[in-house]
């Protein structure tokens, strides 16, 4: 059985890590390189750095930030935000990224997924999907939002995940906008709907607040990996403690 992964996410704005609630009310959470150094020691499996304003500001992710983080870690690094073309992805990889995450650009130019998969391999191309419940319930489906959650893409999350896979994406980074920053638990209905629809790994994001939330999304949500930010940034939940807990729940995890 494949082990589940625990991933730390650093949302970066102006070179500093920030965290908000439902993509709003951003507050300072630390220095990217310092946090990366800590996570490398604590046993995080992977790190994701998302430049949360790069797309809105029409620029690339900050090269200096990527380089500073890459120098501190010996584990996979994914970079997202502002990757609109092949050259942007190349710049991120040159700065130290192992994988690139596409969101808005993938929807506006789906062919970019295939281009990058052909160049770097599917394992290096993640399609990020920011999703929200339609009508407040899972029965109405899940809509996709772009431009840092500010615009409705008029797409269904499950349908888009299937297309992303068919175009060469190696993973889906699935964020529940409804749960983001709330610490109310992952949206397991959303995660399971997407996980069951594709044959590539799905990373669950949005809502982590306690140990049981991770166990829930790995079992009920069928996630392959779980990503969190604030509970790790502010040391509310220790990575080693989380992994030990998951082992006691029968969930295969790297220690």
């Amino acid at each position: 059985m494949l082990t589940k992964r625990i991933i730390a996410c650093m949302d970066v704005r102006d070179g500093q890590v920030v965290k908000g609630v439902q993509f709003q009310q951003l507050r300072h959470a630390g220095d990217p390189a310092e946090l990366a150094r800590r996570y490398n020691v604590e046993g995080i499996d992977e790190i994701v750095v998302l430049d949360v304003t790069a797309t809105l500001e029409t620029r690339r992710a900050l090269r200096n930030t990527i380089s500073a983080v890459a120098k501190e870690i010996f584990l996979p690094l994914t970079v997202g935000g502002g990757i609109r073309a092949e050259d942007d992805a190349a710049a991120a990889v040159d700065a130290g990224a192992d994988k690139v995450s596409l969101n808005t650009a993938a929807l506006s130019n789906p062919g970019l997924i295939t281009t990058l998969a052909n160049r770097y391999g599917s394992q290096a191309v993640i399609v990020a999907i920011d999703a929200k419940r339609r009508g407040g319930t899972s029965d109405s489906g899940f809509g996709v939002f772009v431009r840092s959650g500010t615009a409705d893409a008029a797409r269904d999350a499950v349908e888009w995940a299937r297309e992303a896979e068919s175009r060469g994406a190696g993973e889906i980074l699935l964020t529940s906008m409804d749960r983001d920053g709330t610490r109310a638990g992952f949206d397991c209905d959303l995660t399971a709907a997407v996980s069951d629809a594709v044959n590539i790994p799905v990373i669950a994001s949005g809502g982590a607040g306690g140990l049981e939330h991770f166990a829930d999304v790995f079992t009920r949500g069928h996630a392959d990996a779980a990503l969190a930010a604030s509970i790790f940034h502010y040391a509310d939940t220790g990575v080693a403690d989380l992994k030990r807990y998951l082992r006691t729940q029968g969930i295969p995890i790297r220690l």
Side-chain angles (χ1 to χ4, degrees):
M1 186 181 297
L2 293 176
T3 57
K4 305 295 187 179
R5 290 170 290 149
I6 304 298
I7 302 174
C9 180
M10 295 192 284
D11 294 332
V12 175
R13 180 177 185 176
D14 300 327
Q16 292 295 306
V17 179
V18 295
K19 191 67 190 89
V21 176
Q22 297 177 333
F23 292 30
Q24 303 294 321
Q25 304 167 15
L26 300 181
R27 60 190 176 112
H28 182 263
D31 175 77
E34 290 179 4
L35 283 174
R37 187 183 311 125
R38 196 184 91 202
Y39 292 144
N40 192 68
V41 172
E42 291 181 350
I44 278 287
D45 296 314
E46 299 186 23
I47 288 178
V48 173
V49 173
L50 299 178
D51 191 324
V52 295
T53 57
T55 296
L56 295 177
E57 296 170 1
T58 320
R59 59 169 174 78
R60 288 178 176 171
L62 296 173
R63 181 183 181 88
N64 290 344
T65 300
I66 299 170
S67 297
V69 170
K71 289 175 182 176
E72 299 292 343
I73 61 177
F74 298 95
L75 44 89
L77 171 62
T78 297
V79 171
I83 297 177
R84 298 177 298 278
E86 189 173 0
D87 287 348
D88 299 325
V93 171
D94 289 345
D98 301 290
K99 307 178 188 181
V100 292
S101 175
L102 308 175
N103 191 327
T104 302
L107 276 157
S108 60
N109 177 20
L112 180 60
I113 302 171
T114 308
T115 297
L116 295 181
N118 288 338
R119 178 167 178 174
Y120 298 109
S122 289
Q123 80 288 341
V125 182
I126 297 177
V127 169
I129 300 176
D130 297 333
K132 184 184 293 187
R133 289 172 180 253
R134 296 285 192 202
T137 69
S138 59
D139 294 338
S140 301
F142 304 93
V144 178
F145 286 73
V146 293
R147 295 185 59 79
S148 298
T150 62
D152 191 335
R155 292 291 302 268
D156 176 75
V158 172
E159 171 202 336
W160 172 228
R162 286 197 187 105
E163 181 180 341
E165 178 185 18
S166 72
R167 291 181 178 273
E171 291 186 85
I172 300 294
L173 171 52
L174 181 64
T175 299
S176 166
M177 293 180 62
D178 299 304
R179 299 294 181 91
D180 177 69
T182 65
R183 302 197 183 195
F186 296 96
D187 189 331
C188 291
D189 293 334
L190 165 65
T191 308
V194 173
S195 295
D196 293 347
V198 299
N199 295 305
I200 55 177
V202 173
I203 304 166
S205 170
L211 304 181
E212 68 281 2
H213 293 155
F214 288 86
D216 203 26
V217 82
F218 284 137
T219 53
R220 201 162 58 84
H222 306 166
D224 299 278
L227 175 150
S230 58
I231 66 168
F232 294 145
H233 297 340
Y234 303 118
D236 296 335
T237 298
V239 178
D241 291 339
L242 170 59
K243 289 190 170 187
R244 281 192 291 268
Y245 169 78
L246 291 173
R247 279 288 184 94
T248 68
Q249 301 305 301
I251 295 169
I253 203 81
R254 301 171 188 166
L255 289 179

